[in-house]
Amino acid sequence: MSEARQLPEDELFEVEINGRTCEAREGETVFEVAARQGVEIPVLCHDTRLEPAGACRVCLVEVEGQRRLQPGCAWKVSAGMKITTESDRIEKHRRVLYGLYLADHKLDDAGLPVETANANQLRMLAEKTPPLQLEAVEAPRRGRPEDENPYIKFDPELCILCARCTRYCDEIEAVNAITLAWRGSETTISTAGERGLLDTSCELCGGCIDTCPTGALIEKKAPQILPAHAEKVRSTCNFCGVGCQLDLHVVDGKVAKVTSPPVGETVNDGNLCVKGRFAYDFVHHEDRLTEPLIRREDGELHPASWEEAIEVAAKGLLGVKERHGSDAMGFVSSSRCTVEENYLMQKLSRTAFRTNNIHQCAAT
Ligand code: SF4
Ligand code: SF4
Ligand code: FES
């Protein structure tokens, strides 16, 4: 539940949500004011990083004076507005709407949207408000030809055409690789000329997977990892110095998938690049060094303890200092290291070896 945040006094006015008076300001939507009050309005096409599209109609609410229900994600509040977010009329609307979505959706044996490696928000909503049972229809949606890209898979039968993916690609990535294509019941998510993603401007950031509310877009590498079957471990990406936070999905002690922490929770605000999201195979690669190695008299590398390895390195460095002086030495650190590690590196250089020849790649 979000805590009330302070708004500038001169912009404040009052609105009423479910009979409770609360403060709002010019430009805020019903969804934003309600969220601040801890009032939950279901959404599917809305992602707080994107401009509201009002596409899915799941968030419809009653606004006094309005004949029709209005989309809470896009409807701007004004002074004195009276809003109702739960009523028989709204519940009936949701049941019919979920029923319509499910009529041409891929369902499991229980008649619910199938679970995928992405949290299926439509499934969660349908579990909360039982959908109206409607006869299943065969939707003639066009699927793009099988895409050869290594990371992203699209299943048109799970798509509700909310356009979160295309809007994310446009508004957050500024890439416009994917688009709503065709018309009417054939409408689907595609690319210009139905090209594979590798032949478009796509950066394979995977943000479209992350924002998709139904699992129609999933990760090819880990389609079978259901959220409930993995332990989530928060970590920091080590591919560059930005410090994006990652959620590692760990199955049987191994990283099986990487996602971004939820929007608004960490510095990367739900976003990741192709490396952070997909390039995790190195973690368990057989070529990785897992213990210190020392080159002995025979010229070969041999496993050693950390104590011995540090001692050998220290002796070697001190030998250079004695023979050639401190300024014959230079230390290079990396933006891939933590702040603490970089601090220790310059401490080692300046204090232990008495030289200011210390550099870090982010300084260039
Ligand atoms: S992976 Fe990123 S760049 Fe490619 S289509 Fe998805 S959002 Fe756009
Ligand atoms: S693929 Fe997902 S995000 Fe894109 S339109 Fe379909 S349901 Fe929405
Ligand atoms: S969440 Fe408001 S219309 Fe989709």
Side-chain angles (χ1 to χ4, degrees):
M1 192 177 291
S2 26
E3 277 179 30
R5 77 183 145 90
Q6 291 296 310
L7 301 174
E9 283 293 325
D10 54 350
E11 293 177 25
L12 289 180
F13 53 78
E14 286 186 345
V15 297
E16 212 179 279
I17 296 185
N18 297 339
R20 203 168 83 201
T21 303
C22 48
E23 288 177 335
R25 69 175 165 188
E26 199 65 32
E28 284 190 311
T29 62
V30 170
F31 176 80
E32 287 168 333
V33 179
R36 204 169 47 245
Q37 297 300 318
V39 175
E40 201 183 314
I41 298 176
V43 293
L44 272 181
C45 72
H46 192 51
D47 178 326
T48 52
R49 293 166 296 179
L50 307 175
E51 287 297 316
C56 73
R57 318 312 277 178
V58 161
C59 65
L60 295 196
V61 295
E62 290 184 56
V63 178
E64 196 179 75
Q66 295 291 323
R67 192 166 56 85
R68 293 183 177 160
L69 298 176
Q70 299 297 342
C73 70
W75 195 260
K76 297 278 167 58
V77 289
S78 56
M81 188 180 273
K82 291 188 175 152
I83 301 136
T84 305
T85 68
E86 297 292 338
S87 67
D88 290 347
R89 186 182 175 199
I90 293 171
E91 174 155 345
K92 189 174 166 196
H93 155 74
R94 287 181 192 156
R95 292 191 62 224
V96 173
L97 187 65
Y98 299 162
L100 288 168
Y101 277 132
L102 267 44
D104 70 346
H105 205 82
K106 198 185 272 182
L107 305 177
D108 65 11
D109 293 341
L112 288 168
V114 292
E115 267 190 293
T116 73
N118 261 17
N120 190 327
Q121 292 167 35
L122 178 57
R123 182 185 173 100
M124 290 186 226
L125 294 178
E127 277 172 353
K128 205 167 168 193
T129 308
L132 191 71
Q133 296 299 317
L134 297 172
E135 199 177 322
V137 291
E138 199 66 43
R141 287 186 204 129
R142 293 188 185 223
R144 233 176 332 133
E146 186 58 27
D147 196 322
E148 293 301 315
N149 85 81
Y151 302 131
I152 300 167
K153 187 174 167 58
F154 172 58
D155 183 347
E157 288 189 47
L158 285 170
C159 177
I160 56 163
L161 299 171
C162 67
R164 268 170 78 157
C165 53
T166 57
R167 288 181 288 129
Y168 179 92
C169 194
D170 173 16
E171 295 175 33
I172 305 290
E173 287 299 304
V175 163
N176 276 309
I178 47 176
T179 183
L180 285 164
W182 307 104
R183 291 292 177 271
S185 56
E186 290 193 335
T187 309
T188 191
I189 300 299
S190 191
T191 60
E194 294 196 316
R195 291 193 191 97
L197 285 176
L198 295 181
D199 290 330
T200 68
S201 50
C202 173
E203 295 171 352
L204 296 173
C205 68
C208 49
I209 297 178
D210 206 69
T211 193
C212 177
T214 62
L217 283 160
I218 51 168
E219 188 178 326
K220 278 186 182 172
K221 282 170 81 178
Q224 76 287 16
I225 311 294
L226 294 177
H229 298 159
E231 183 197 351
K232 256 195 212 174
V233 180
R234 183 68 50 88
S235 188
T236 304
C237 181
N238 58 3
F239 276 109
C240 79
V242 170
C244 291
Q245 297 296 288
L246 310 171
D247 278 342
L248 309 178
H249 298 240
V250 180
V251 179
D252 296 333
K254 292 201 164 174
V255 177
K257 178 177 166 174
V258 174
T259 55
S260 171
V263 175
E265 213 168 272
T266 61
V267 63
N268 40 315
D269 199 23
N271 307 306
L272 284 176
C273 73
V274 60
K275 291 180 283 181
R277 192 183 301 276
F278 296 120
Y280 50 83
D281 293 341
F282 76 92
V283 176
H284 305 292
H285 198 281
E286 57 183 14
D287 289 348
R288 261 196 103 181
L289 288 181
T290 53
E291 56 189 348
L293 301 174
I294 295 176
R295 199 175 295 283
R296 309 259 185 217
E297 290 75 23
D298 60 4
E300 299 296 323
L301 289 167
H302 295 273
S305 68
W306 276 105
E307 289 73 22
E308 191 190 0
I310 290 169
E311 202 183 318
V312 169
K315 269 190 191 153
L317 289 168
L318 284 169
V320 174
K321 186 183 165 197
E322 275 168 28
R323 288 193 300 279
H324 305 288
S326 291
D327 280 339
M329 307 174 80
F331 292 79
V332 181
S333 184
S334 168
S335 62
R336 293 185 182 188
C337 300
T338 62
V339 172
E340 291 80 3
E341 287 161 342
N342 279 309
Y343 173 80
L344 288 174
M345 193 67 165
Q346 65 83 34
K347 200 77 177 160
L348 185 75
S349 164
R350 296 189 217 277
T351 311
F353 294 99
R354 316 298 292 175
T355 177
N356 290 325
N357 294 340
I358 168 76
H359 191 68
Q360 197 249 37
C361 59
T364 53

